[in-house]
Amino acid sequence: MNEIKTKPPLWILLELTHKCPLECPYCYNQLDFAKIDDKMQKEDWFRVMEQAREMGAVQIGFSGGEPLLNKDLPELVKKANDLGFYTNLITSGVSAPIGIVQKLKEAGLKTVQIGIQSHDKDIITLLTNNKTAYEQKQNFIKEVKKEGIQLIINSTIHKLNIDHVDKIIEYANDVGANYLELANVQYYGWALENIDKLLPSKEQIEKARKITHTYRENKNNKMKVYFVVPDYYEVRPKACMNGWGTTFLTINPEGDALPCNMANTLPLKFPNVKDYSLEEIWNRSNSFNYFRGDSWMSEPCRTCNEKEKDFGGCRCQAFALTNDMNATDPVCEKSQHHNIITDTINRALETSNDGLIYRNRNNSINFIGKNHANC
């Protein structure tokens, strides 16, 4: 294993399972993610947390799939809390066992981030392909507020709900969210499969951003609102996870250690925490060192004066769009592949919302229903 000196990871994400009761067509997970088995046992997660804390990591997130499906979740949260981590649960709020929120609060859980697709039951049903998701989410939110846990609502924004941003903000405010993240879809995995049906126009994004800004300007509004623009409407790419292997470390249900959630879509071999310590993986593994520094870069990145800001952009996005993980992220207007982005935008403008592709491809349904004609 080669070694490049770097700072320790600050944020650890534990993907406890890739099982999920929902089939959201904008899911960023890789197309075959459901085939990844839950091979990590409670003791394995404990060991990972101990090693991460020893390295200096300070925040830990429990996610999936749906982390509520892991029966050991309260014990895992308690272990993390006892080690001194700031603990976060990233969930859909669906499939929650009775009394789980109280147990998580007692275990030391600090924050719940729940995904809410819309203020509207019919749109939630459509986007999750789950007829009881709306009610389950509402009940879960009530429990979180009852227990006094900080609540973050993440609403993934796309062509089907972007014209309802005002209603989503109103909904999040009414249920008592501390934070609302209006995160435009980042197009990986199933989201990339559905991009023509999901990518909004630039005009829609600007309108939604203005609505968000208007809410923020009202000093009586206490909820903090963030608006994340999709990469496709930028002229420079975002830095890949603040820089590949600089800040974030993800462990998937099989125990593979990854610099980001999507990294195992790349043609790299990632080490497993059952075979190596986190310190060995972070500092000396070939995969974590591969995109550190700039020796891997070709033009235009190699001589670009912005390469230390964006590090050539997202490696997973570059690979998904060009089949070359070393390529400049096509989002960058300097990229020789930038036409992929502009062509996609133009195609999406001409594509209807019908026929969403879910993880179960036999479940594709059309976007129809009351009052949704202009969504």
Side-chain angles (χ1 to χ4, degrees):
M1 288 188 174
N2 299 321
E3 181 171 5
I4 296 177
K5 284 295 182 181
T6 187
K7 294 180 181 179
L10 296 177
W11 171 272
I12 308 296
L13 184 69
L14 306 185
E15 294 183 333
L16 302 184
T17 181
H18 277 180
K19 297 181 178 69
C20 184
L22 309 182
E23 297 187 8
C24 305
Y26 56 79
C27 182
Y28 62 78
N29 270 308
Q30 55 267 35
L31 301 182
D32 62 350
F33 87 117
K35 296 179 181 178
I36 294 177
D37 295 327
D38 298 350
K39 294 182 179 178
M40 291 284 284
Q41 302 301 312
K42 178 173 62 177
E43 292 72 23
D44 297 317
W45 292 121
F46 282 178
R47 184 180 67 256
V48 164
M49 287 189 275
E50 289 167 355
Q51 293 177 1
R53 193 72 183 99
E54 188 174 321
M55 290 177 68
V58 295
Q59 291 199 49
I60 196 162
F62 299 95
S63 75
E66 178 46 67
L68 292 171
L69 295 174
N70 187 303
K71 62 180 177 56
D72 297 322
L73 181 59
E75 290 183 75
L76 297 175
V77 171
K78 185 178 186 306
K79 176 70 172 180
N81 187 64
D82 290 347
L83 287 169
F85 280 107
Y86 186 88
T87 51
N88 306 263
L89 176 66
I90 304 162
T91 177
S92 70
V94 178
S95 299
I98 295 174
I100 187 65
V101 178
Q102 182 179 0
K103 291 179 181 178
L104 293 173
K105 173 64 181 299
E106 293 170 352
L109 185 67
K110 300 297 189 297
T111 298
V112 168
Q113 178 177 313
I114 181 171
I116 298 291
Q117 292 76 13
S118 174
H119 67 292
D120 184 273
K121 178 179 178 179
D122 289 346
I123 300 179
I124 289 179
T125 301
L126 171 82
L127 291 172
T128 62
N129 206 26
N130 184 305
K131 294 180 179 179
T132 64
Y134 178 83
E135 287 79 9
Q136 291 191 63
K137 288 175 182 291
Q138 309 317 306
N139 292 335
F140 190 80
I141 287 172
K142 289 176 183 177
E143 288 296 311
V144 170
K145 294 301 297 181
K146 177 183 176 183
E147 296 298 332
I149 302 174
Q150 180 170 259
L151 176 64
I152 299 173
I153 288 182
N154 179 284
S155 189
T156 305
I157 302 300
H158 41 74
K159 194 190 296 185
L160 281 69
N161 65 2
I162 194 167
D163 294 327
H164 299 160
V165 160
D166 55 339
K167 295 289 190 353
I168 294 172
I169 292 174
E170 182 181 341
Y171 166 82
N173 188 71
D174 288 347
V175 300
N178 301 97
Y179 297 87
L180 169 63
E181 183 179 48
L182 299 167
N184 277 270
V185 172
Q186 303 300 311
Y187 292 96
Y188 308 92
W190 292 96
L192 189 57
E193 286 280 288
N194 284 293
I195 188 168
D196 292 353
K197 304 173 185 68
L198 296 176
L199 184 66
S201 67
K202 189 172 184 177
E203 290 73 24
Q204 286 178 301
I205 291 170
E206 286 305 315
K207 181 180 177 182
R209 185 150 49 180
K210 287 179 181 178
I211 291 171
T212 305
H213 184 66
T214 299
Y215 175 88
R216 289 178 183 150
E217 284 187 320
N218 187 336
K219 295 181 179 180
N220 294 322
N221 294 327
K222 304 301 182 184
M223 179 178 68
K224 296 185 184 304
V225 182
Y226 301 94
F227 189 87
V228 182
V229 177
D231 291 356
Y232 281 52
Y233 287 105
E234 303 285 1
V235 296
R236 294 288 183 274
K238 295 182 178 69
C240 179
M241 302 300 288
N242 286 349
W244 177 276
T246 66
T247 308
F248 297 90
L249 196 161
T250 295
I251 314 296
N252 78 5
E254 291 190 330
D256 293 333
L258 308 167
C260 76
N261 311 54
M262 291 294 296
N264 60 348
T265 62
L266 300 175
L268 290 172
K269 174 65 176 175
F270 290 95
N272 193 285
V273 296
K274 294 185 178 183
D275 301 321
Y276 302 97
S277 70
L278 283 193
E279 189 276 330
E280 289 178 292
I281 291 169
W282 184 259
N283 290 316
R284 293 187 286 282
S285 68
N286 292 330
S287 54
F288 273 74
N289 282 322
Y290 194 94
F291 291 115
R292 285 173 174 155
D294 60 9
S295 61
W296 60 272
M297 292 182 182
S298 57
E299 296 297 346
C301 293
R302 177 65 66 88
T303 57
C304 180
N305 60 7
E306 297 183 61
K307 68 180 180 181
E308 293 183 3
K309 296 179 182 178
D310 59 38
F311 309 106
C314 177
R315 298 300 86 221
C316 300
Q317 184 159 265
F319 181 70
L321 297 179
T322 72
N323 205 35
D324 178 5
M325 67 178 180
N326 296 288
T328 301
D329 189 332
V331 163
C332 183
E333 64 180 1
K334 296 181 180 181
S335 168
Q336 62 179 320
H337 302 291
H338 188 62
N339 66 291
I340 295 174
I341 301 297
T342 55
D343 290 348
T344 300
I345 291 172
N346 292 333
R347 192 173 61 245
L349 291 174
E350 299 174 355
T351 302
S352 74
N353 307 325
D354 291 346
L356 292 170
I357 302 171
Y358 297 90
R359 290 202 305 274
N360 181 350
R361 292 174 183 267
N362 294 326
N363 287 343
S364 298
I365 54 180
N366 291 331
F367 191 67
I368 55 177
K370 62 178 182 180
N371 302 323
H372 299 157
N374 297 316
C375 293

